[in-house]
Amino acid sequence: MSCNIAIAGVTGAVGQEFLRILEERDFPFSSVKMLASARSHGKKLTFKGREYTVEEMTDKSFDGVDIALFSAGGSRSREFADAVKKAGAVMVDNSSAFRMDPDTPLVVPEVNPEAIKDHKGIIANPNCSTIIALVPIWPLHNANPVKRMVVSTYQAASGAGQAAMDELALQSKDILAGREARCEAFPYQIAFNLFCHNSDLKPNGYNEEEMKMVNETRKIFSCPDIAITCTCVRVPVMRAHSESINLEFDSPITADEVRELLSTAPGVTVLDDRENNRFPMPIDADGKDDVYVGHIRQDESIPDNRGINLWVCGDQIRKGAALNAVQIAERLV
Amino acid sequence: MSCNIAIAGVTGAVGQEFLRILEERDFPFSSVKMLASARSHGKKLTFKGREYTVEEMTDKSFDGVDIALFSAGGSRSREFADAVKKAGAVMVDNSSAFRMDPDTPLVVPEVNPEAIKDHKGIIANPNCSTIIALVPIWPLHNANPVKRMVVSTYQAASGAGQAAMDELALQSKDILAGREARCEAFPYQIAFNLFCHNSDLKPNGYNEEEMKMVNETRKIFSCPDIAITCTCVRVPVMRAHSESINLEFDSPITADEVRELLSTAPGVTVLDDRENNRFPMPIDADGKDDVYVGHIRQDESIPDNRGINLWVCGDQIRKGAALNAVQIAERLV
């Protein structure tokens, strides 16, 4: 089966990755509409050897479209959701707009693909840090329920878009040349520095990014009671997120068992070479589909061998965003 | 009282910081010996407006010395410990050589100054990440015992010395210019990347840096049973470490109580501005004496309000090394 697709926000970092991934995976499409804001209207793009013209996204853009891949920000997703549904298309939305809506499936294809069929016109792509954490945690949770997760993230600039990656490069150049760092994409200096995630703070003191990990994980795992706490941090890395994950399981589990479970898990590459102290790094995951996992250790601070520490790296733009959405679209086709 | 001091490893990053801190704090000395390896013999240094000549460190270097501040690596500390003791001097050692030796006090002056008096010629300075974590944790632990700590670090290049800081700058320049990153001080690319700490791995899969946090904390707190697990990571930051710290307490404690306790704690600056999403960053702590603490939140994943998340930043070369050692020396005088 082949389908008509639209890409909303096609000129952004995730939009551009949509195109690369659709091409790489030979996604079965009949037509592609390249949609963006008025600013990019008329811009030319090459996709699979053919030239396309970017169109301004309007309510009429979705006539005849089957699947609309959205990565244009939450307000654009909200603005065009009705138009997409009225056109009979399905929106696969990378924004946070509908993630916690009870009528919208929130899907990591390696975890809960069965949720896709319950959609009412919108399927939400989870937050990047959540996807990257859950791909390796799910097969463990299935073997031995996770009772509690303590996560600290090391998040790449790409999570704030292409402008943030450009800012990291420019600030680095300026600082190395003895000039002052100018902050536009980020509120604080990102080059040779790091800071708690700059998303809005909730009344409980957690930023939105931290609460996404908590709430989205509960929804994706269908585990409303799983205990999760998270600290989200921006680091001067281009496009792969890293996460330090501490897991408390229901029953005893060893590092060897975890390694064994992960070695056959879909979407996971185990890179856990103790002899050479060689574990995942952002530059390993950069441009790759899999989530890399290593530095797998028994957490000796939890009794009865029920604790495990993991270190994971995943490409924020690919598995953290565009790839996960395309995988959802593949299951829709 | 004034004393004769020696600085072993004076040409290194920590050695240079010893000089700056002794000068800033107007440390009461009668004489200073500048000691280093044969390579630096004859080099000139200015300290408090006077020129000094670096001497090669030998067994005879400690005659007449009262306090020897060591930061020349563990093997040099081991090599010269007997000479220092024979000369009647006290070694304040920044290396890991004697930290876990039962006869050697391991001291953070804000935490366990009383241990200093039990020395038998050597006092050990804890590992940088340990000091930076314990300065703010101690006043909390005193008010309400900490049962378990889960720590993830974001460690600056300076922990591996001046050469590592230079490498971070050089690699950044090379990568920005499209050249390949050359790795000498670190085994892996540090610019725009990060990696699990490159210290030796123990049979349990933890690296030495991670086990230092576990073992040193137990010794400094005189709490052999405190549960601790740690993930140590090198990040592309120059000289201040950050740490994401999750604490489980014996009894209920609120974020407000923690903020209150820390607001009067020695060596701590609370920077916890939720309204402006302004929490500690490495560039805040850079060159500062205090450990900065913020993003203080109730950990809702621990029942009965017994959990707290903290975010801390501290200068690795100052409080993480040279300042802590000078504070110990001040108490010896």
Side-chain angles (χ1 to χ4, degrees):
Chain A
M1 201 201 116
S2 196
C3 69
N4 301 310
I5 58 176
I7 300 175
V10 72
T11 55
V14 175
Q16 289 293 296
E17 201 74 20
F18 276 143
L19 295 183
R20 272 189 289 274
I21 293 171
L22 290 169
E23 183 158 351
E24 277 172 28
R25 297 173 75 92
D26 208 14
F27 187 89
F29 67 91
S30 309
S31 71
V32 188
K33 273 194 186 176
M34 307 290 188
L35 305 176
S37 64
R39 198 161 27 102
S40 297
H41 183 81
K43 210 180 148 186
K44 305 290 180 193
L45 284 177
T46 303
F47 174 54
K48 281 199 141 181
R50 221 197 98 183
E51 192 179 78
Y52 290 81
T53 305
V54 177
E55 300 168 42
E56 181 185 355
M57 181 157 61
T58 70
D59 280 354
K60 296 203 185 337
S61 300
F62 307 98
D63 293 347
V65 167
D66 300 305
I67 298 173
L69 298 170
F70 263 72
S71 187
S75 56
R76 308 291 272 169
S77 298
R78 266 184 230 100
E79 186 183 346
F80 291 100
D82 283 341
V84 171
K85 287 198 267 190
K86 206 173 283 176
V90 181
M91 175 191 273
V92 181
D93 183 27
N94 190 48
S95 85
S96 63
F98 301 104
R99 286 182 192 151
M100 297 312 295
D101 169 18
D103 283 341
T104 302
L106 182 65
V107 176
V108 180
E110 290 85 349
V111 177
N112 61 338
E114 71 288 350
I116 293 175
K117 67 176 182 334
D118 301 328
H119 78 81
K120 297 185 171 64
I122 306 172
I123 300 165
N125 213 34
N127 185 44
C128 46
S129 307
T130 310
I131 297 174
I132 290 164
L134 299 196
V135 168
I137 294 175
W138 177 249
L140 309 178
H141 179 68
N142 260 333
N144 185 342
V146 171
K147 309 304 282 181
R148 181 171 177 241
M149 294 166 49
V150 181
V151 180
S152 295
T153 71
Y154 302 65
Q155 299 187 219
S158 60
Q162 185 61 49
M165 291 188 274
D166 295 343
E167 183 154 299
L168 169 55
L170 182 63
Q171 283 186 358
S172 301
K173 267 183 202 164
D174 280 346
I175 290 168
L176 289 167
R179 292 186 296 265
E180 210 165 313
R182 287 161 292 172
C183 299
E184 287 174 15
F186 284 126
Y188 308 113
Q189 177 184 321
I190 183 70
F192 307 109
N193 192 35
L194 46 86
F195 47 83
C196 293
H197 198 280
N198 54 303
S199 50
D200 286 351
L201 282 177
K202 303 288 181 187
N204 65 359
Y206 288 82
N207 59 51
E208 266 186 1
E209 190 81 358
E210 291 162 348
M211 292 316 295
K212 284 175 185 172
M213 175 77 80
V214 175
N215 296 323
E216 296 181 13
T217 299
R218 288 173 173 166
K219 179 169 176 176
I220 297 164
F221 277 14
S222 298
C223 265
D225 298 326
I226 190 170
I228 306 171
T229 193
C230 189
T231 299
C232 287
V233 179
R234 298 255 197 219
V235 297
V237 164
M238 281 296 169
R239 57 175 278 166
H241 285 0
S242 306
E243 302 183 31
S244 168
I245 302 177
N246 179 266
L247 298 173
E248 180 179 342
F249 291 88
D250 189 45
S251 314
I253 188 167
T254 66
D256 284 341
E257 285 165 345
V258 167
R259 219 172 282 114
E260 182 68 27
L261 284 164
L262 292 177
S263 67
T264 56
V268 171
T269 294
V270 175
L271 174 48
D272 195 33
D273 178 0
R274 287 186 179 183
E275 205 163 315
N276 296 298
N277 200 333
R278 184 67 176 85
F279 305 116
M281 304 192 289
I283 55 171
D284 294 319
D286 203 311
K288 302 284 174 33
D289 287 351
D290 275 8
V291 174
Y292 286 67
V293 187
H295 206 25
I296 302 168
R297 298 147 288 160
Q298 195 84 53
D299 171 3
E300 295 163 353
S301 79
I302 295 180
D304 314 322
N305 288 330
R306 293 184 301 101
I308 289 288
N309 281 306
L310 297 178
W311 173 253
V312 309
C313 295
D315 188 303
Q316 186 274 329
I317 309 181
R318 285 183 88 85
K319 186 56 189 170
L323 172 63
N324 196 74
V326 172
Q327 288 173 315
I328 293 171
E330 286 173 344
R331 289 180 180 256
L332 278 173
V333 175
Chain B
M1 199 201 117
S2 199
C3 68
N4 301 312
I5 58 177
I7 300 174
V10 72
T11 56
V14 175
Q16 290 293 296
E17 201 74 21
F18 276 142
L19 295 183
R20 270 188 290 272
I21 291 171
L22 291 169
E23 182 157 352
E24 277 172 28
R25 297 172 75 91
D26 208 14
F27 188 89
F29 66 92
S30 308
S31 70
V32 188
K33 273 195 185 173
M34 308 290 187
L35 304 175
S37 63
R39 197 160 30 100
S40 298
H41 183 81
K43 211 181 146 184
K44 305 287 180 196
L45 285 176
T46 304
F47 174 56
K48 283 200 140 180
R50 219 197 100 184
E51 192 179 77
Y52 289 82
T53 304
V54 177
E55 301 168 42
E56 179 184 355
M57 181 156 61
T58 69
D59 280 355
K60 299 204 182 340
S61 300
F62 307 98
D63 293 347
V65 166
D66 300 304
I67 298 173
L69 298 170
F70 262 71
S71 187
S75 56
R76 308 290 272 170
S77 297
R78 266 182 231 101
E79 186 183 346
F80 291 100
D82 282 343
V84 171
K85 288 196 269 189
K86 206 173 283 176
V90 181
M91 174 192 275
V92 181
D93 183 27
N94 191 47
S95 84
S96 62
F98 301 104
R99 286 182 191 150
M100 297 311 298
D101 169 18
D103 283 342
T104 303
L106 181 65
V107 176
V108 180
E110 290 85 350
V111 178
N112 61 338
E114 71 287 352
I116 292 174
K117 65 175 182 338
D118 301 328
H119 78 79
K120 297 185 169 65
I122 306 174
I123 300 165
N125 213 34
N127 184 45
C128 46
S129 307
T130 310
I131 297 174
I132 290 164
L134 298 196
V135 168
I137 295 174
W138 177 249
L140 308 179
H141 179 69
N142 260 335
N144 185 343
V146 171
K147 309 304 282 181
R148 181 172 177 242
M149 293 166 50
V150 182
V151 180
S152 294
T153 70
Y154 302 65
Q155 297 186 222
S158 60
Q162 186 62 48
M165 291 189 274
D166 296 343
E167 183 155 298
L168 169 55
L170 182 63
Q171 283 186 358
S172 301
K173 267 183 201 163
D174 279 347
I175 290 169
L176 289 166
R179 292 186 295 266
E180 209 166 312
R182 287 160 292 172
C183 299
E184 288 174 14
F186 284 126
Y188 309 114
Q189 177 184 321
I190 184 70
F192 308 110
N193 193 35
L194 46 84
F195 48 84
C196 293
H197 199 279
N198 54 304
S199 50
D200 286 350
L201 282 177
K202 302 288 181 187
N204 66 359
Y206 288 81
N207 59 53
E208 266 186 0
E209 190 81 0
E210 291 163 347
M211 293 316 296
K212 284 174 184 172
M213 175 76 81
V214 174
N215 296 323
E216 295 180 15
T217 299
R218 288 173 173 165
K219 179 168 177 176
I220 297 163
F221 277 14
S222 300
C223 266
D225 298 325
I226 190 170
I228 306 171
T229 193
C230 189
T231 299
C232 287
V233 179
R234 298 255 197 219
V235 296
V237 164
M238 280 297 169
R239 57 175 277 165
H241 285 359
S242 305
E243 302 184 31
S244 168
I245 302 178
N246 179 267
L247 298 173
E248 180 179 341
F249 291 88
D250 189 46
S251 314
I253 187 166
T254 66
D256 283 342
E257 285 165 347
V258 168
R259 217 172 282 113
E260 183 68 27
L261 284 164
L262 292 177
S263 68
T264 56
V268 171
T269 293
V270 175
L271 174 48
D272 195 34
D273 179 359
R274 288 186 179 183
E275 205 164 315
N276 296 299
N277 200 334
R278 185 66 176 86
F279 305 116
M281 305 192 286
I283 54 172
D284 294 319
D286 203 311
K288 303 284 174 31
D289 287 351
D290 274 8
V291 175
Y292 285 67
V293 187
H295 205 25
I296 302 168
R297 297 149 288 159
Q298 195 85 52
D299 171 5
E300 295 163 353
S301 79
I302 294 179
D304 313 324
N305 289 330
R306 292 184 301 102
I308 289 287
N309 281 306
L310 298 178
W311 173 252
V312 309
C313 296
D315 188 302
Q316 186 275 329
I317 310 181
R318 285 183 88 86
K319 185 57 188 168
L323 172 63
N324 196 75
V326 172
Q327 288 173 315
I328 293 170
E330 286 172 346
R331 289 180 181 257
L332 279 172
V333 174

